[in-house]
Amino acid sequence: MAEQLLNTKPDLEKLTAIIADYAGQRWPLIPLVQKIQSEFGYIPQESVPLIAQYLKLFPSQVQGVISFYAQLYTKPRGKKVVRVCRGTACHVRGGKTILKLVKQNLGIEEGETTPDMEYTLETVACIGVCALAPNIVIGDRVFGHMNPKKVEYLLKRGGD
Amino acid sequence: MQPITITLDGNEVSGYAGMSILALAREAGVHIPTLCHDDHLPDIGACRLCIVEEEKSGALMAACVTPIASGMVINTRSPRVVTHRRTIVELMLASHPDACPVCDKGNRCKLRGIAAEMGLSLTQLQRVPQVATIQDVNPFIQRDLSKCVLCARCIRACQELVVEGVLDYFQRGFKSKPATFGDVPLESSDCTFCGTCVALCPTGALMERDAPYRGTTRNKVKTTCPHCGCGCSIELEIKDNRIIRSIPAETDGTGYRPLCVRGSYGYDFTHSPDRLTTPLIRRNGSLQQSDWEEALTLVADGLEKVISKHGAESVAVLGSAHCTNEEAYLLQRLARCTIGTSNVDSGSRLYSAATILGLATTIGLPQPANHVEAIEKSDVIMVVGADPTTSAPAVGYAIKRAVKGKGACLILIDPRRTRLAFFATLHLQPKPGTDIALLSALAHVIVKENLLDKEFVVRRTDNFEPLVRSVEHYTPEYAAGVTGVPAGQIVAAARFYARARQASLVHGSGITQYPTGTDCVRAIANLALLTGNALRKGGGITTLYRESNSYGVMAMGLSPHLLPGFRSATDTRARGDLETLWRVNLPDPPGLTAIEMLQGAISGKIRALYICGEDPISTFPDRQMVTEALASLEFLVVQDIFLTETAKLATVVLPGASPLEKDGTTINFEGKIRRFRRAVTPPGEGRPDWQILAEIAARMKRPLPFSHFDDIVAEMEDCVPGYQYYGGEGRDFDIQSTGTRQQPVEEAPRGFPRFSPVEYQVPAKLDDHEYPFLLLTGGVFPHHSNSIWSLKAPRLKKFLSQGYAELNPEDTHSLGLDNGDTVKITSAAGEVIAPVRSSADIPQGTVFIPCSFPDIAVNVLFRIRLDTQSKAPAFKSCRVKVQRVDSDG
Ligand code: SF4
Ligand code: SF4
Ligand code: SF4
Ligand code: FES
């Protein structure tokens, strides 16, 4: 499914059906794009003119809203999101090196997704478990006390 | 309403509820610096420069978005406020490139002005200038977003004033900027290069590209954009007898109106190197330079010679909608009095006669349209056969503002998918030429479902019963079969229109250029009468005359059927009045219409023709016939600013002045008298056109009493309603308020508006097999229909300089054509060669060829078929075949 997303056009019929559902609602834009994101994993660029047409907005306005929220993604994302913490506690305990290692390991930069659609790399400001610093999150699991070996091990195992 | 009193810098001042602190301060003469505020835009409080302090609470607030409240104590200059403002400006400067000395915005930059006012120069803060990355390559606008201060004026201008919605904020934080969808260059977006964002940008972030001069100037003239019938107010900046900039201006007549690409960047046709600069005389078969004395004498003598040899009725005078009112008035005076012929007309008849006749025999007025403001207030707007976004952009903006801002319902009736379709609640796409069936079906539904305004119909109209009978058989199902529009849509449109509180009907030449044009206008009028909208304030019918001064030249009597002031040429009282005023015996009516003049030239009835501002070879249908007609004349005078195809055949060519080079008036489609004021002088020996006409008359046996411009105006005041109040400089006028509205019509004896039954004529289906396609023609962005002016404006030309033939992708596919392939389009009358473009915006089975480009002379495809009633030829569509032309021949 994920690979298909990257290589093929999103399913326009499905998109249109989702959008049409929201057309009559009040303030439908945010819930609609969230719904699209939950179905597709991201908000395909192709959906913007469709959303605009149905909601009687301009494409630029829809894009403006989507690009305003960090939680809304405009590119397909991997099966698992790797978030490296860049909070102060992690920073003093080598968070920067951890980030570098993760990048090397996955061969991608921040905000990018591996070609096999497995991982998307992001950073976060703090995840609230500073005692375990440096931390990373893979999917919804937090891993503390990271070190180079552990990074390699975790990513090889697919974050389980 | 209770006034609200606040203390402003120690003084008590009062305002009304809802007023912002800024507005009140301005009223009280207190200066608060602003950057993102603009009087024409909704405030958003983005820049925070207008910050003020409320003394009691100590709160800092943005004056532009904070409404006044009773008892507020506002300080606009406290040390705290001043420090804050300085910091804001310093921060802006810190992220701004150090480019002031080389920035073309120069003294017009607001940021620079404010910094100077505060005594700030190079900032102490660490500089983090943004990098400019956008590469726009269009000929109109360049963006350098490193100079952007994120005031969102451009965004609001684009979304709220012109409603193109091209720009919005993109991304957040430091990366935030105004961007197009996909962050593409403007030319790849929906941008129409109206220039509104450029005019409102406070910094050098948005600039006019290829501007003729980069500095600033104090020499400014307020005048009127000459390109289309909207007649927007513009302010021209002038340097060394050259226009260097055009921006929207505010005048009493029209208020602030954003311009379109032609108003903002199309003024430079006036400086085109192709302008005529001296009179030309034909010697030994070719046109050669001459001087005024020789040329004027030759014209006067030549006309007199033809008059004495063949009689005055063998001479004809043809003006155009490019004429000012004064020129049109003078032209018909020259024809009727000096020459003594009734053969006087203008080329704009081709597009406007059906409307004038259709409305005059129904609603009963040579009716100027609704004001733009009224359209904007309508809750339902029905647009028939018009693409105002191209032909009358100011109306397009108003319609879009009504839809987006006020929730109005737009019903679009157009076979093509135009830009307005995006805004339409209903888009009905009838087969070309079937509008009468569709409009009659709307009337049918309104009658059947009893949606009519009974009181209005009973008390204020005539001839209702015949209309009811005539629409009886136009059931939605029947109309669906004829037009291809689903019956459900027809019913829905009728209900929307009839149930509206106030509905505007906007129509353009898309319906009047058919042989049945007059009937189609009547069908529209019937709808407006049934629902009472015809005479309802803010409802009514808006005609988008195709050319700039179409309405004005008719009002001036530049027509064989009309005398000045829209009085009929056969009306004995009117003739008597004018004979007394003019001290002549008027020649017998009616004279020949434009097309009849040309046909007369071929038959030998017409021997001499005086043409002012018209180019029939390029703009009339049946190019072959027109050329033959002009070539068979004994004497042809052409007065124009360019050497048009028509001028090339002339005996004498006289160089006139563009509207930006002379004084005069024009009447826009709203019926407002708008002024042209001379901004620059004509190139070479060009002269204001009224002067040329007056001098010719002076050299003839029956001269005219005009030696000054004011003499003409004085006489017009006596015979054109509206002009008697026209007097002083600086006043803009509204013909509507002065009585031409609602004149009784001859055919309505009781002076009531009258229903006029019409029938859809099933076309003879002979040509379908040989000519399977239906050709449509019309104007195309950014040009103005077939006006030579926009094509001579370098930047407009650069944007689109070549014609094409547009076909539906299904058709290109089945013909095996690719974009750019060359095809031959053949009709029964002729053929043209054009490159192909495929576009889903036009229906299958149709070909669209813009009429704007001389390289594809679409008028050769048309045979003259007159509208039997208005005597205007069909010039919108005909049947054609499309064949591929292989590159090797
Ligand atoms: S481009 Fe100009 S108008 Fe637009 S936000 Fe930037 S500074 Fe303001
Ligand atoms: S030129 Fe007009 S359409 Fe284009 S971005 Fe500016 S305001 Fe919008
Ligand atoms: S809308 Fe017409 S009058 Fe106004 S600027 Fe454009 S071309 Fe000129
Ligand atoms: S002018 Fe008030 S916030 Fe910009």
Side-chain angles (χ1 to χ4, degrees):
Chain A
M1 163 85 186
E3 285 97 284
Q4 279 172 0
L5 272 184
L6 191 64
N7 299 325
T8 61
K9 295 250 167 234
D11 179 349
L12 282 183
E13 256 168 52
K14 185 168 159 201
L15 251 178
T16 313
I18 298 176
I19 295 168
D21 252 10
Y22 281 75
Q25 294 186 16
R26 229 173 120 71
W27 311 121
L29 181 57
I30 301 284
L32 168 57
V33 289
Q34 280 172 326
K35 169 85 177 167
I36 293 176
Q37 177 152 304
S38 74
E39 291 287 322
F40 288 83
Y42 73 114
I43 304 161
Q45 171 96 349
E46 291 87 339
S47 67
V48 174
L50 285 174
I51 298 172
Q53 179 74 53
Y54 272 90
L55 303 191
K56 296 277 170 203
L57 293 167
F58 293 116
S60 65
Q61 291 175 310
V62 176
Q63 164 183 277
V65 169
I66 295 172
S67 71
F68 185 79
Y69 294 102
Q71 294 80 3
L72 298 176
Y73 312 113
T74 51
K75 284 191 204 121
R77 293 165 35 97
K79 276 191 206 138
K80 296 196 187 78
V81 180
V82 182
R83 295 191 179 84
V84 181
C85 183
R86 300 191 65 182
T88 324
C90 292
H91 184 75
V92 283
R93 309 204 44 183
K96 209 172 164 187
T97 321
I98 300 296
L99 177 60
K100 210 161 117 195
L101 283 169
V102 176
K103 283 184 186 171
Q104 272 171 12
N105 238 285
L106 296 177
I108 54 174
E109 287 297 313
E110 239 183 284
E112 292 181 355
T113 300
T114 52
D116 61 1
M117 300 305 291
E118 281 296 313
Y119 295 106
T120 295
L121 176 58
E122 282 175 4
T123 58
V124 284
C126 179
I127 51 174
V129 282
C130 305
L132 305 180
N135 296 306
I136 70 174
V137 186
I138 301 181
D140 47 17
R141 291 187 60 191
V142 180
F143 298 89
H145 298 306
M146 294 304 293
N147 56 42
K149 258 221 177 108
K150 221 165 150 187
V151 167
E152 200 166 331
Y153 175 74
L154 272 176
L155 293 179
K156 211 173 264 166
R157 282 194 40 206
D160 288 329
Chain B
M1 202 193 298
Q2 254 336 52
I4 295 176
T5 306
I6 69 165
T7 311
L8 188 71
D9 289 348
N11 301 318
E12 295 222 325
V13 287
S14 306
Y16 52 84
M19 201 177 187
S20 70
I21 299 174
L22 179 68
L24 184 54
R26 294 224 162 140
E27 225 179 75
V30 173
H31 172 66
I32 300 176
T34 58
L35 196 56
C36 69
H37 167 83
D38 184 274
D39 289 345
H40 312 294
L41 298 171
D43 280 308
I44 52 163
C47 74
R48 299 275 136 188
L49 211 69
C50 63
I51 206 155
V52 292
E53 187 177 17
E54 211 282 317
E55 231 171 71
K56 291 195 279 183
S57 63
L60 291 173
M61 42 185 73
C64 67
V65 287
T66 312
I68 51 171
S70 195
M72 272 181 162
V73 182
I74 299 294
N75 214 324
T76 70
R77 285 177 299 220
S78 70
R80 207 166 141 230
V81 166
V82 171
T83 317
H84 258 91
R85 274 194 204 131
R86 287 180 71 98
T87 312
I88 294 168
V89 177
E90 278 177 4
L91 284 168
M92 284 179 181
L93 292 174
S95 56
H96 202 82
D98 253 342
C100 287
V102 291
C103 178
D104 295 339
K105 196 76 174 191
N107 292 333
R108 292 172 298 131
C109 178
K110 286 223 162 46
L111 178 60
R112 188 164 133 183
I114 286 167
E117 196 179 292
M118 293 183 180
L120 292 171
S121 60
L122 266 188
T123 162
Q124 311 297 316
L125 298 174
Q126 192 200 344
R127 302 183 52 80
V128 209
Q130 308 250 24
V131 266
T133 47
I134 303 281
Q135 295 297 326
D136 296 302
V137 295
N138 68 80
F140 309 114
I141 297 174
Q142 73 192 31
R143 292 184 292 166
D144 175 357
L145 294 183
S146 69
K147 293 176 184 164
C148 175
V149 292
L150 291 176
C151 69
R153 281 180 180 222
C154 56
I155 296 173
R156 283 172 287 159
C158 197
Q159 293 189 358
E160 318 255 350
L161 292 182
V162 299
V163 204
E164 304 293 359
V166 171
L167 300 174
D168 203 340
Y169 281 125
F170 180 47
Q171 295 175 328
R172 55 212 124 80
F174 191 65
K175 282 187 185 130
S176 176
K177 61 177 178 179
T180 60
F181 169 51
D183 203 14
V184 296
L186 288 177
E187 56 274 13
S188 313
S189 74
D190 286 333
C191 177
T192 59
F193 305 100
C194 67
T196 311
C197 56
V198 180
L200 289 177
C201 177
T203 72
L206 300 178
M207 298 282 283
E208 177 171 354
R209 184 190 292 274
D210 293 346
Y213 174 76
R214 309 205 157 258
T216 30
T217 168
R218 275 166 209 251
N219 189 358
K220 294 176 183 172
V221 174
K222 270 192 189 167
T223 180
T224 299
C225 171
H227 283 289
C228 86
C230 296
C232 302
S233 301
I234 52 175
E235 182 172 273
L236 297 177
E237 296 178 13
I238 296 126
K239 170 91 183 164
D240 300 334
N241 203 28
R242 275 189 90 82
I243 302 164
I244 58 166
R245 189 172 294 111
S246 166
I247 54 170
E250 203 146 351
T251 56
D252 329 341
T254 57
Y256 181 94
R257 268 191 199 165
L259 305 178
C260 77
V261 65
R262 296 186 290 266
S264 292
Y265 308 117
Y267 55 82
D268 38 8
F269 74 95
T270 207
H271 298 309
S272 160
D274 301 339
R275 285 287 301 273
L276 287 168
T277 53
T278 63
L280 304 174
I281 288 179
R282 185 166 302 279
R283 289 195 187 94
N284 308 324
S286 73
L287 284 172
Q288 291 172 7
Q289 294 200 347
S290 160
D291 59 50
W292 276 109
E293 195 43 51
E294 186 186 12
L296 291 171
T297 312
L298 186 64
V299 172
D301 291 351
L303 291 174
E304 291 288 10
K305 215 160 82 196
V306 176
I307 296 171
S308 64
K309 225 164 70 189
H310 307 285
E313 58 288 354
S314 69
V315 182
V317 173
L318 179 64
S320 91
H322 279 169
C323 293
T324 64
N325 289 340
E326 291 72 12
E327 288 154 21
Y329 182 82
L330 207 53
L331 260 181
Q332 61 87 29
R333 198 74 158 75
L334 180 83
R336 293 187 166 121
C337 306
T338 303
I339 298 171
T341 175
S342 290
N343 304 329
V344 55
D345 202 1
S346 82
S348 83
R349 141 170 326 271
L350 271 57
Y351 311 112
S352 57
T355 304
I356 304 256
L357 188 65
L359 291 180
T361 49
T362 49
I363 298 187
L365 358 147
Q367 187 202 32
N370 256 335
H371 288 188
V372 168
E373 293 74 20
I375 300 176
E376 197 169 339
K377 287 194 193 115
S378 306
D379 49 345
V380 170
I381 303 169
M382 184 142 92
V383 178
V384 191
D387 179 11
T389 58
T390 303
S391 65
V395 178
Y397 301 153
I399 294 173
K400 292 188 290 177
R401 281 196 299 262
V403 172
K404 285 287 277 186
K406 309 206 172 100
C409 154
L410 170 65
I411 305 166
L412 180 64
I413 301 184
D414 198 318
R416 292 166 64 203
R417 209 189 133 73
T418 58
R419 173 78 178 140
L420 271 191
F422 178 83
F423 299 86
T425 312
L426 280 173
H427 181 192
L428 277 45
Q429 294 181 275
K431 290 187 195 126
T434 62
D435 303 276
I436 292 179
L438 181 60
L439 294 166
S440 298
L442 294 179
H444 174 100
V445 175
I446 292 172
V447 171
K448 279 279 127 95
E449 299 196 357
N450 215 357
L451 300 170
L452 36 96
D453 181 340
K454 267 184 234 89
E455 187 177 341
F456 178 85
V457 169
V458 171
R459 300 183 48 171
R460 314 240 346 235
T461 66
D462 261 344
N463 217 26
F464 175 59
E465 285 309 319
L467 176 87
V468 173
R469 282 195 298 276
S470 78
V471 298
E472 179 67 36
H473 61 283
Y474 289 94
T475 60
E477 294 67 31
Y478 166 75
V482 174
T483 62
V485 178
Q489 282 190 15
I490 297 176
V491 174
R495 288 180 185 159
F496 269 125
Y497 178 71
R499 287 181 181 152
R501 190 176 34 82
Q502 143 182 342
S504 281
L505 249 165
V506 179
H507 79 95
S509 56
I511 54 164
T512 52
Q513 280 171 252
Y514 286 96
T516 51
T518 309
D519 278 347
C520 205
V521 174
R522 290 192 177 125
I524 286 177
N526 289 339
L527 285 179
L529 287 174
L530 274 178
T531 53
N533 276 301
L535 300 183
R536 192 172 294 158
K537 209 167 174 335
I541 299 177
T542 295
T543 302
L544 303 179
Y545 291 109
R546 172 154 141 162
E547 296 169 297
S548 48
N549 198 23
S550 294
Y551 186 81
V553 297
M554 292 263 177
M556 297 305 131
L558 197 61
S559 153
H561 309 304
L562 293 173
L563 296 170
F566 281 118
R567 299 170 84 180
S568 163
T570 49
D571 173 349
T572 21
R573 229 182 75 205
R575 294 173 64 81
D577 291 350
L578 289 172
E579 289 184 340
T580 317
L581 180 70
W582 292 344
R583 296 200 197 108
V584 292
N585 288 325
L586 285 176
D588 288 340
L592 304 179
T593 63
I595 298 288
E596 287 167 345
M597 291 174 189
L598 296 168
Q599 288 168 334
I602 293 178
S603 70
K605 198 165 154 193
I606 294 294
R607 304 297 179 112
L609 184 57
Y610 192 108
I611 299 183
C612 184
E614 192 57 70
D615 178 14
I617 295 193
S618 312
T619 63
F620 281 25
D622 209 338
R623 192 182 182 106
Q624 306 84 316
M625 184 283 268
V626 177
T627 313
E628 187 197 332
L630 295 177
S632 36
L633 288 165
E634 263 170 49
F635 195 61
L636 172 63
V637 185
V638 175
Q639 180 176 335
D640 208 309
I641 63 171
F642 293 107
L643 189 66
T644 58
E645 290 304 312
T646 302
K648 285 178 188 161
L649 295 184
T651 325
V652 185
V653 180
L654 303 172
S658 92
L660 307 177
E661 297 159 349
K662 61 194 175 192
D663 293 314
T665 55
T666 170
I667 303 182
N668 75 355
F669 71 85
E670 299 165 286
K672 289 178 174 170
I673 301 179
R674 315 280 304 119
R675 271 177 194 277
F676 290 126
R677 295 187 184 82
R678 196 184 62 205
V680 290
T681 56
E685 295 170 30
R687 287 185 183 178
D689 297 71
W690 72 268
Q691 214 172 321
I692 302 175
L693 297 168
E695 292 196 39
I696 289 170
R699 284 169 169 76
M700 293 182 65
K701 287 194 189 123
R702 285 184 285 179
L704 297 173
F706 308 120
S707 46
H708 291 285
F709 183 71
D710 293 344
D711 301 340
I712 311 171
V713 179
E715 200 185 281
M716 281 163 66
E717 286 175 4
D718 288 337
C719 54
V720 185
Y723 270 78
Q724 57 269 54
Y725 308 103
Y726 151 78
E729 173 69 9
R731 286 184 63 188
D732 286 285
F733 239 97
D734 191 342
I735 249 196
Q736 293 196 349
S737 58
T738 54
T740 53
R741 246 187 134 109
Q742 303 186 24
Q743 284 180 347
V745 244
E746 289 161 48
E747 281 154 71
R750 284 191 288 147
F752 281 149
R754 188 180 167 85
F755 286 102
S756 183
V758 293
E759 288 292 342
Y760 168 69
Q761 315 280 345
V762 184
K765 285 218 164 202
L766 301 172
D767 305 349
D768 275 27
H769 190 64
E770 194 183 348
Y771 300 110
F773 284 90
L774 195 62
L775 171 78
L776 288 178
T777 174
V780 65
F781 176 87
H783 297 289
H784 187 58
S785 73
N786 48 20
S787 163
I788 189 170
W789 291 352
S790 63
L791 263 186
K792 292 288 183 187
R795 287 172 287 185
L796 297 178
K797 179 160 187 214
K798 200 162 158 190
F799 189 79
L800 190 65
S801 61
Q802 273 197 324
Y804 51 83
E806 206 167 62
L807 285 141
N808 187 282
E810 298 284 332
D811 291 329
T812 45
H813 184 79
S814 61
L815 291 169
L817 294 165
D818 283 327
N819 262 343
D821 282 356
T822 308
V823 287
K824 185 162 83 179
I825 317 271
T826 315
S827 75
E831 58 177 56
V832 295
I833 305 283
V836 168
R837 266 193 197 182
S838 82
S839 159
D841 291 342
I842 73 164
Q844 245 175 292
T846 40
V847 191
F848 175 76
I849 302 183
C851 62
S852 311
F853 304 98
D855 60 336
I856 298 168
V858 65
N859 59 347
V860 310
L861 299 176
F862 290 88
R863 275 269 170 76
I864 287 186
R865 272 163 72 209
L866 300 180
D867 173 346
T868 41
Q869 298 160 49
S870 69
K871 298 196 175 173
F875 190 16
K876 188 71 195 175
S877 110
C878 66
R879 300 215 64 94
V880 293
K881 63 180 171 199
V882 180
Q883 291 159 297
R884 161 194 220 102
V885 179
D886 288 320
S887 44
D888 50 2

